[in-house]
Amino acid sequence: MTTTPKPFSPTDPLTWQPRHLVRSVIAHDVATTRDRSTALLAATARAEWGPETAGMIDAERLPQDQYGTARAASLAKFDAQHGSRSIIVADVSNDVSYKEDLAKAFGARVICVSISRNGASGARARELVAGVPITSYVLGRTELIDGLHARMSNGQFVLPQTEISRDAFNELADLERVISEAGNVIYKTRAGKHDDLGMSMAIAAWAINHQDFDAWVAIDRQQKIRTGQLRINPRSSRAGSSGWT
């Protein structure tokens, strides 16, 4: 017996189909000693009657005690389940060497971020990693979390009604808001709590409508052309961001 899919709703990511999506990212929070690595898919959907809406579509906690190539392989399985087309945004704050495993697994689809607990965000760099052009950013943890809160409050980032999305939301809700001696707001994880899913959600919300998104897609496309993974028919119209791979 087949089930009729729910009609598209811009406020319910469970109703979003590939044809609705304008762009998508997979945010990858890399585990510390306490947390598990996670993969979280977010996308922007074009509503037929209104503006684009961003939101979380799916998420998964990856197997524990995986590092390097094995961890990238688990991320690749999640990526493949969703078409192997998303920009991969990975937090390498605790494992800079992981960039090479990501570059080998995903090519120029990879964007790396380093999260500073107290520092400002905005620094950007580009480098060749295993022959692949990788763009990296430095982000402030407080700015990431406050940005997600703002987007959720005004309806610019929506969540599905699933257990794992509730877990991600609750992780952020459980963070302790502390004012430093310098007067800065710092979010700390309470004892016995986790923030891996919540931070993946914050990274995804930052990335999905980033001003550099089209440049990320273009770099990946150019790399595929250079390596022969993508061939261009000069008579065809230029592909949009929904079909870059």
Side-chain angles (χ1 to χ4, degrees):
M1 180 178 178
T2 58
T3 302
T4 304
K6 293 181 180 179
F8 173 82
S9 168
T11 60
D12 184 2
L14 294 179
T15 69
W16 298 358
Q17 302 297 320
R19 67 181 183 276
H20 300 133
L21 306 184
V22 181
R23 59 186 70 87
S24 62
V25 301
I26 291 176
H28 179 38
D29 185 71
V30 178
T32 60
T33 54
R34 219 169 31 80
D35 286 334
R36 295 177 68 171
S37 296
T38 56
L40 186 146
L41 175 68
T44 299
R46 182 185 291 112
E48 295 178 1
W49 59 86
E52 296 176 1
T53 302
M56 170 183 165
I57 293 179
D58 191 16
E60 184 177 307
R61 284 190 169 97
L62 302 181
Q64 289 182 294
D65 300 322
Q66 286 189 335
Y67 305 93
T69 303
R71 183 169 54 201
S74 290
L75 180 63
K77 290 180 181 179
F78 180 86
D79 178 44
Q81 292 168 7
H82 297 284
S84 298
R85 56 184 282 169
S86 301
I87 294 294
I88 308 293
V89 186
D91 173 16
V92 297
S93 305
N94 301 303
D95 188 359
V96 176
S97 66
Y98 187 41
K99 288 183 181 181
E100 184 169 348
D101 298 297
L102 291 168
K104 290 177 179 177
F106 304 102
R109 282 197 287 143
V110 174
I111 302 298
C112 290
V113 298
S114 296
I115 299 176
S116 169
R117 293 187 176 275
N118 302 315
S121 63
R124 179 179 65 179
R126 188 171 296 161
E127 60 184 321
L128 279 179
V129 180
V132 176
I134 299 294
T135 306
S136 300
Y137 296 80
V138 175
L139 306 178
R141 177 177 166 89
T142 297
E143 185 175 346
L144 268 178
I145 295 170
D146 283 346
L148 174 61
H149 284 161
R151 291 181 180 97
M152 293 181 67
S153 296
N154 62 24
Q156 291 181 329
F157 193 88
V158 295
L159 303 182
Q161 294 300 311
T162 61
E163 183 177 353
I164 200 160
S165 71
R166 287 190 287 270
D167 286 347
F169 179 85
N170 288 335
E171 284 182 2
L172 291 180
D174 283 339
L175 293 176
E176 182 180 7
R177 192 172 184 270
V178 177
I179 306 297
S180 70
E181 293 182 359
N184 299 318
V185 175
I186 299 173
Y187 290 98
K188 292 186 175 181
T189 307
R190 300 179 190 274
K193 300 290 185 177
H194 305 273
D195 69 358
D196 46 293
L197 278 171
M199 289 308 299
S200 285
M201 189 163 65
I203 293 168
W206 167 84
I208 192 63
N209 285 320
H210 196 279
Q211 62 184 5
D212 292 342
F213 191 93
D214 287 342
W216 300 341
V217 172
I219 292 170
D220 178 43
R221 185 176 178 83
Q222 291 163 9
Q223 179 73 2
K224 283 183 168 64
I225 292 171
R226 282 196 297 268
T227 59
Q229 299 174 59
L230 180 67
R231 299 185 184 278
I232 301 300
N233 181 349
R235 294 184 179 180
S236 65
S237 59
R238 191 175 70 173
S241 62
S242 62
W244 62 80
T245 58

